[in-house]
Amino acid sequence: MDLSLPAAALDWQQRARAFAKEYLFPREIELEMTGSLPKATLDSLRRAVREHGLNGINHAKEVGGQGCSQLELTLINEELGKSTGALWAVVPHPAVALKHGTREQIETYLRPSCLMERRACVAVTEPGAGSDPRSVCSRADRRDGRFILNGEKWFVTSGDVADYIIVHANVDGDPEKPTLFLVDKSLPGIRVAREPKFTHTYVFGHPEFLFENVEIREDRVLGSVGGGLELTKDWFVEARLQIAANTLGAAIRAFELANAWAAERQQFGRAIRDFQAIEFMLADMSVDIMATKSLAYRVSCEIDNGADRNLAHAHASVLKLQASEMAGRVLDKAVQIFGGRGYMRENPVERLNREVRVDRIWEGTSEIQRAIIGGQLRKRGSGVFTGWVNEQAIRREK
Ligand SMILES: Cc1cc2nc3c(=O)[nH]c(=O)nc-3n(C[C@H](O)[C@H](O)[C@H](O)COP(=O)(O)OP(=O)(O)OC[C@H]3O[C@@H](n4cnc5c(N)ncnc54)[C@H](O)[C@@H]3O)c2cc1C
């Protein structure tokens, strides 16, 4: 079994690593201390993303993307995830659901998003609908060949910089007709109700939107009427894989910094790594990272090799749960190894420690991932998680 990474994947890894080092890390302190970056800096970062060919990485070349495999995406996102302030978000991943657009929608929304001329955000969550997207109240009523959208959406990541919103709403208020709509932000009736502050520093915002009698063209339905939940599920899978890779990168950066510090810092006349208490923390961090990396690359390869939708969904949940919880454990230890210095905002470890907390909440909380895994155990049996990729096929042949 050859576990070496293909040359093309290694090229992407190097490109992303160099990009993070040259463009993202140098902006971290300014972002942390001021809470935002000037427009000119964001514009220059956008240009740099394009110049480095990191635009549209998750879409096919035919629609303006880079045609990266899932393994390549994981390697890229691992490198970008090492940055603080969620600076990885300057490399957009236009929502995977856009692939299901009509030819016109692809030209109007997906291609310009891949070329970074447009930017999307995704609005599913509402005050009354978080973990359970089936309980959304936003509605799109059919009237005279149009839809009239009303509702309230919360936590819309990058909603401040996006120029269109992929809105999840029920057609005619019917919960059996959950549907995604492509909604230009400039349409009358859309307003930002609030821009709350969060635990983390994030390069963009997470505003709350109100939609009041927004008229939407009939051809702005993405996919089919009633097909919204399935497309949202695809978005969750993609986002969970990205979160896993980002948190893996965050953990690796923190581990490397803590490991170096443990060798450098002297107390009681010796390096602190010579105390077994510290050495064992470093050992546990190594194990956690290695296990998560192995899982992340495995699940990515399964998807590249055509894993069916249900398996991809189940394994993406395992990976997201493992990676986000692992990052919490590793970051907590990294802070501890740095002592008081680990509590200073100028230290990337302090920032990452705060920032990985949300990874156990967004795109499905840890409890929801466990519920998905439990559901799959009931439906498909334990082999989905305890078996190996081609094990069942081999047994059948015998
Ligand atoms: C910074 C940030 C950015 C976000 N960006 C976006 C975005 O761009 N677009 C978007 O649509 N949403 C976004 N979200 C929303 C995010 O996906 C939700 O916060 C998340 O799904 C949880 O929903 P909730 O906050 O309503 O919590 P709730 O669903 O109210 O859950 C509260 C608690 O109850 C638990 N719980 C709920 N149901 C169950 C169950 N069945 N079994 C066991 N425990 C359960 C949860 O695990 C949690 O611990 C974002 C959130 C944050 C914080």
Side-chain angles (χ1 to χ4, degrees), residues 122-127 129-132 154-158 198 200 206 235-236 358 361-368 371:
V122 181
V124 182
T125 306
E126 299 181 0
S131 297
D132 179 13
W154 276 27
F155 304 116
V156 184
T157 296
S158 305
F198 294 84
H200 60 200
H206 311 286
W235 176 60
F236 283 147
V358 75
I361 297 173
W362 60 8
E363 313 303 353
T365 62
S366 287
E367 293 71 39
I368 293 304

Side-chain angles (χ1 to χ4, degrees), residues 295 299 313-323 369 373 384-385:
L295 183 61
V299 173
H313 189 226
H315 283 192
S317 284
V318 173
L319 175 58
K320 198 262 190 187
L321 179 63
Q322 163 67 20
Q369 305 311 324
I373 295 162
V384 176
F385 304 110

Side-chain angles (χ1 to χ4, degrees), residues 223-300:
S224 59
V225 168
L229 267 179
E230 280 305 296
L231 294 185
T232 294
K233 202 165 140 182
D234 286 351
W235 176 60
F236 283 147
V237 169
E238 184 177 52
R240 285 168 192 166
L241 290 163
Q242 186 185 342
I243 287 172
N246 284 164
T247 51
L248 176 61
I252 289 173
R253 184 176 181 196
F255 170 70
E256 284 170 354
L257 289 168
N259 191 34
W261 179 248
E264 182 189 331
R265 177 67 171 167
Q266 300 267 330
Q267 286 295 283
F268 300 97
R270 53 170 121 159
I272 57 169
R273 71 169 316 124
D274 292 341
F275 300 114
Q276 203 175 50
I278 300 291
E279 192 177 42
F280 276 19
M281 278 197 249
L282 291 167
D284 285 345
M285 292 156 93
S286 310
V287 173
D288 248 346
I289 288 171
M290 191 174 164
T292 307
K293 188 175 225 182
S294 307
L295 183 61
Y297 292 11
R298 167 191 164 168
V299 173
S300 303

